[in-house]
Amino acid sequence: MSAKKTKAKKILFGIAGTILLVLILTVGIFAIKVSGFEKRVNNFEIKEADMVIDTYGSPDNPALLLMHGMYMDGKMLAEYCMELSDDYYLIIPTYHGMEGNQEIVFGSFDTECRYIEDYLISETGGHIEYAYGLSMGATMIYHMLERGNISVDKVILDGIYAADQGPMAAYMTSTYYYDFHEKALSGEDFDLGIMKVSCKLMGITEQEAKDMIINDMTKNHMTLENMSLAAYANYTYVPAPDVFIKDTQVELWCGSNEPFALKSHGIVKEHIENYNETIFEGYGHGELLSKHRDIFMEKVREVFR
């Protein structure tokens, strides 16, 4: 082997070694950050506080619990669904930390569900006819069915997340989306960067994700702590392996462009005795409600009758 080839080989090995070292250091630093994030959310002090629960329509109508998604609030969901108040008694909670009060923090699925269950037990005796949940709201309804403290005749789980993306996904989602949220509040433009991957998982475009941040997330001025706690609860949720839903008719909804929701369907179907599954062709996460309101209303009334 010539001296030039030997030298070139050494240079290539040197470059490869440097790249590998940088990669190892980067992964190591990121792992430390995720580990620190996980410790913080698991040790965060949760203070007891009343939950905002709004109602609309006549109490003489069948009760319909509406559960909003992550980084939304109940009033946003009410705006989309208000016409249902003509036929149903709407009960719409807003989870802690998403109502604009920055002194209150999102607890955990168990904590948030307990508040809603206590309200329903007090107001309806613990039984309601119907429940609809969007995204994280769907997961929380499923969790309440697991807990067994209330009973519901029929539920729609629209875009449920139950496949455990893990603490890394929660860390990245809350950290990046909080940064986007702050930039949107100040009127600054932003690029989704690595979070474009989440658009693929939700089946939405990058512009739709930016519109969601600008038009929805900025309304309630969430803190990084609340965004972190909610993301961690949502992305690390795993259905209880030994609990089966037997007494509730479950409708599983999602768009055909939602790979993570479709994967979640496969998981929860193993725990549900009575279910129907509807896949809306060409739709992404939450688009049945946000973009196709007439179809949404028609389908909801078909199920809840």
Side-chain angles (χ1 to χ4, degrees):
M1 184 180 292
S2 69
K4 285 186 177 180
K5 287 185 178 180
T6 302
K7 186 177 180 180
K9 194 173 183 179
K10 286 182 178 179
I11 292 172
L12 287 174
F13 275 122
I15 293 171
T18 301
I19 292 172
L20 181 60
L21 179 59
V22 170
L23 182 61
I24 291 171
L25 287 172
T26 302
V27 171
I29 292 170
F30 192 72
I32 291 170
K33 287 183 178 181
V34 172
S35 177
F37 163 82
E38 192 168 16
K39 287 178 182 176
R40 286 198 307 277
V41 296
N42 282 323
N43 293 293
F44 203 88
E45 181 183 359
I46 306 300
K47 297 179 181 179
E48 295 291 316
D50 290 338
M51 176 177 280
V52 175
I53 300 179
D54 296 311
T55 59
Y56 306 90
S58 171
D60 295 330
N61 287 332
L64 169 53
L65 174 68
L66 297 176
M67 301 275 284
H68 64 82
M70 188 167 66
Y71 304 162
M72 293 176 64
D73 64 23
K75 287 180 172 55
M76 294 180 200
L77 188 56
E79 289 176 11
Y80 283 114
C81 299
M82 189 55 67
E83 73 174 76
L84 291 173
S85 64
D86 294 338
D87 303 304
Y88 308 96
Y89 179 54
L90 305 184
I91 302 170
I92 311 180
T94 292
Y95 320 134
H96 290 113
M98 300 191 189
E99 71 289 87
N101 185 346
Q102 298 194 2
E103 300 300 318
I104 300 174
V105 297
F106 185 92
S108 64
F109 276 2
D110 281 325
T111 302
E112 301 302 309
C113 288
R114 174 169 57 82
Y115 276 92
I116 298 166
E117 290 164 354
D118 287 349
Y119 175 87
L120 293 175
I121 290 168
S122 172
E123 298 298 319
T124 72
H127 171 264
I128 56 174
E129 288 85 355
Y130 309 125
Y132 166 86
L134 173 64
S135 190
M136 186 173 80
T139 310
M140 290 175 69
I141 288 176
Y142 181 88
H143 188 51
M144 282 194 283
L145 295 178
E146 281 185 322
R147 287 163 56 90
N149 296 321
I150 62 167
S151 61
V152 189
D153 295 334
K154 293 182 181 180
V155 303
I156 297 172
L157 307 181
D158 188 353
I160 187 173
Y161 273 29
D164 188 10
Q165 289 186 353
M168 182 179 293
Y171 168 75
M172 291 180 66
T173 298
S174 56
T175 301
Y176 283 96
Y177 273 83
Y178 180 74
D179 180 57
F180 303 152
H181 164 261
E182 290 295 287
K183 287 179 178 177
L185 281 173
S186 65
E188 184 181 347
D189 192 20
F190 56 91
D191 182 79
L192 293 177
I194 196 171
M195 293 310 293
K196 292 173 184 176
V197 175
S198 71
C199 297
K200 298 291 185 183
L201 292 174
M202 292 192 292
I204 61 176
T205 67
E206 294 171 28
Q207 187 57 51
E208 286 169 339
K210 293 181 76 171
D211 290 343
M212 175 187 69
I213 295 164
I214 294 167
N215 299 325
D216 292 341
M217 287 173 56
T218 54
K219 287 182 180 178
N220 49 8
H221 303 279
M222 289 181 67
T223 63
L224 177 58
E225 289 81 4
N226 276 312
M227 295 179 98
S228 299
L229 289 160
Y232 186 80
N234 196 42
Y235 291 150
T236 61
Y237 175 77
V238 178
D242 56 348
V243 177
F244 298 89
I245 312 301
K246 297 181 179 180
D247 300 322
T248 300
Q249 176 64 42
V250 178
E251 301 288 327
L252 297 169
W253 288 4
C254 75
S256 62
N257 295 336
E258 296 185 70
F260 196 75
L262 289 166
K263 182 178 180 180
S264 297
H265 280 197
I267 294 169
V268 298
K269 281 192 288 190
E270 296 181 5
H271 299 269
I272 304 171
E273 189 169 292
N274 302 304
Y275 70 84
N276 292 315
E277 182 179 33
T278 303
I279 310 301
F280 294 91
E281 188 62 36
Y283 290 11
H285 195 59
E287 289 188 342
L288 177 64
L289 174 63
S290 64
K291 288 186 170 183
H292 306 277
R293 194 88 53 87
D294 290 344
I295 298 174
F296 172 83
M297 294 298 171
E298 178 187 338
K299 296 295 183 183
V300 166
R301 288 190 170 100
E302 282 180 11
V303 173
F304 294 153
R305 62 182 180 186

